[in-house]
Amino acid sequence: MNAPKISVITPMYNAEKYIRQCLISVLASKFTDYEVVLVDDCSTDNSLAEVEKLAPYFNGRLKIFRTEKNSGGAGVPRNLGIKNSSGKYITFIDNDDMILPTALENFFAVTEETGADVIHTEKCLGFRYVEGQNFSRNDLQNVFTDKNISGTETVATETPDLNDRIGRYTLNQFGWLPWGKFFRRDFLTENKIEFPQLALSEDMIFCFKCLCLAKNYVRVPFAANIHRFRIGSASQHVSRTLSESLQRWLSVILPGAEILDDFMNGEEFFERNSERREDILKFWVHSHLDFMKKNFAGMSRYEIRKFFKTELKKIAPDKNSRQRKIFDKYFPEYEFNFN
């Protein structure tokens, strides 16, 4: 059996309410030379049963794998999916999202024409979803994966000037979600690009590496995915104390900064352009402080910094560790403004 042109990789965890719609959207694709590599991260609900009901419709094009234990994030199952994929190209779909019928066809055509390592779209269709509520075509809206980016109106090849790319990345002009992108599989494997084992923001590091290492990086004007903006979901109502929330984010920021530092250590560009290395580490720390700053509304700067100091002692007591040194360097520059 010949290898498929495209591998569609879907990490799954407790998605019994959504996974049928996700997989049916792939079945509706106009482009049919694909495989679906679904990796279950030890779901505890009926997700796998729902997948198995649809398996016959894929005529052998659905491959199911399972992690040895729950990883707590999408990175590990995505890596397992890459490892077990056989397509010339790879794209990702989250287990509660869908893909448009023309997406694979359009991605494939542009990549074959341009020889791109990475195809990137900022556009998607999205809808606000309340648990238990049906949605219709009328609920779909054209949105951007990042509100700061307007996208492109034509197929456009990015400049090979890495200094320019990095500068615009730190201005939030490149989205960092893995869905809505199309990757040449050999590009990922030859460069050993994988998702780090982080509970959050693993996709940010993965996509940053792709941006740095892709010789041919192409933006396209069409939408590919239908994204479900879940409102009122159980995941959004996990009760955490301020201490627990902060430790959760610090457990991502600190090792993530070290992972980025290690990556840049091995790249000639960052050895020659130390200021860009500094820009990326600052961007990493400050981006995550942006994510969490709403938790500190109503607190003074003094109270916030005192609280961070207390929590840092718990999670990273060694001030001389590389993780702490990176964080301590960029944290004081951040302003917690709540306007």
Side-chain angles (χ1 to χ4, degrees), residues 84-242:
N84 287 283
S85 66
S86 55
K88 183 178 181 181
Y89 304 110
I90 284 173
T91 193
F92 298 96
I93 307 177
D94 284 355
N95 60 194
D96 56 349
D97 286 350
M98 289 154 277
I99 195 167
L100 291 165
T102 55
L104 299 183
E105 179 181 58
N106 289 339
F107 272 145
F108 181 79
V110 173
T111 312
E112 288 285 287
E113 180 181 346
T114 62
D117 296 316
V118 180
I119 297 286
H120 177 137
T121 180
E122 295 297 345
K123 296 180 180 179
C124 71
L125 298 182
F127 63 98
R128 293 168 66 85
Y129 173 78
V130 178
E131 292 289 343
Q133 178 179 309
N134 292 326
F135 73 95
S136 69
R137 187 180 297 271
N138 294 331
D139 295 320
L140 298 178
Q141 297 180 2
N142 284 299
V143 296
F144 294 108
T145 57
D146 190 305
K147 64 183 179 181
N148 297 302
I149 311 170
S150 59
T152 179
E153 297 303 320
T154 61
V155 174
T157 301
E158 280 292 337
T159 174
D161 181 359
L162 193 52
N163 189 57
D164 181 77
R165 288 189 194 181
I166 298 302
R168 288 187 292 122
Y169 179 83
T170 59
L171 295 174
N172 283 311
Q173 293 182 10
F174 286 93
W176 42 263
L177 296 165
W179 51 266
K181 294 182 176 63
F182 200 68
F183 306 89
R184 185 168 57 82
R185 186 166 67 91
D186 285 350
F187 162 71
L188 296 179
T189 57
E190 288 168 4
N191 288 285
K192 299 180 180 178
I193 300 174
E194 293 185 336
F195 292 89
Q197 294 188 33
L198 298 174
L200 298 164
S201 299
E202 76 290 337
D203 41 11
M204 193 172 180
I205 293 176
F206 177 89
C207 290
F208 173 69
K209 289 182 178 181
C210 289
L211 180 65
C212 291
L213 298 175
K215 293 182 173 63
N216 192 351
Y217 195 104
V218 176
R219 290 186 192 261
V220 292
F222 53 79
N225 288 60
I226 301 175
H227 182 61
R228 188 188 306 259
F229 295 93
R230 286 201 265 164
I231 308 300
S233 68
S235 63
Q236 292 183 331
H237 289 281
V238 176
S239 178
R240 291 190 178 93
T241 66
L242 186 56

Side-chain angles (χ1 to χ4, degrees), residues 162 166 208 212 263-265 267-278 280:
L162 193 52
I166 298 302
F208 173 69
C212 291
F263 168 69
M264 292 187 289
N265 269 339
E267 295 301 314
E268 182 183 349
F269 170 82
F270 292 104
E271 294 297 324
R272 291 186 286 103
N273 298 274
S274 58
E275 72 283 359
R276 285 305 190 199
R277 181 197 196 98
E278 300 288 316
I280 289 299

Side-chain angles (χ1 to χ4, degrees), residues 12-54:
M12 182 177 73
Y13 179 71
N14 286 0
E16 63 178 344
K17 297 177 182 178
Y18 319 109
I19 193 62
R20 283 182 60 84
Q21 290 175 334
C22 175
L23 293 178
I24 288 172
S25 74
V26 181
L27 283 169
S29 294
K30 294 183 177 181
F31 189 95
T32 59
D33 192 359
Y34 65 80
E35 65 176 0
V36 175
V37 184
L38 185 140
V39 183
D40 179 52
D41 198 20
C42 298
S43 293
T44 58
D45 65 358
N46 293 317
S47 297
L48 271 177
E50 292 297 319
V51 172
E52 288 165 356
K53 290 176 187 176
L54 289 174

Side-chain angles (χ1 to χ4, degrees), residues 244-267:
E244 290 170 339
S245 179
L246 181 52
Q247 287 199 35
R248 179 169 179 258
W249 279 110
L250 289 174
S251 70
V252 171
I253 299 175
L254 298 174
E258 188 169 8
I259 291 168
L260 283 170
D261 200 37
D262 284 338
F263 168 69
M264 292 187 289
N265 269 339
E267 295 301 314

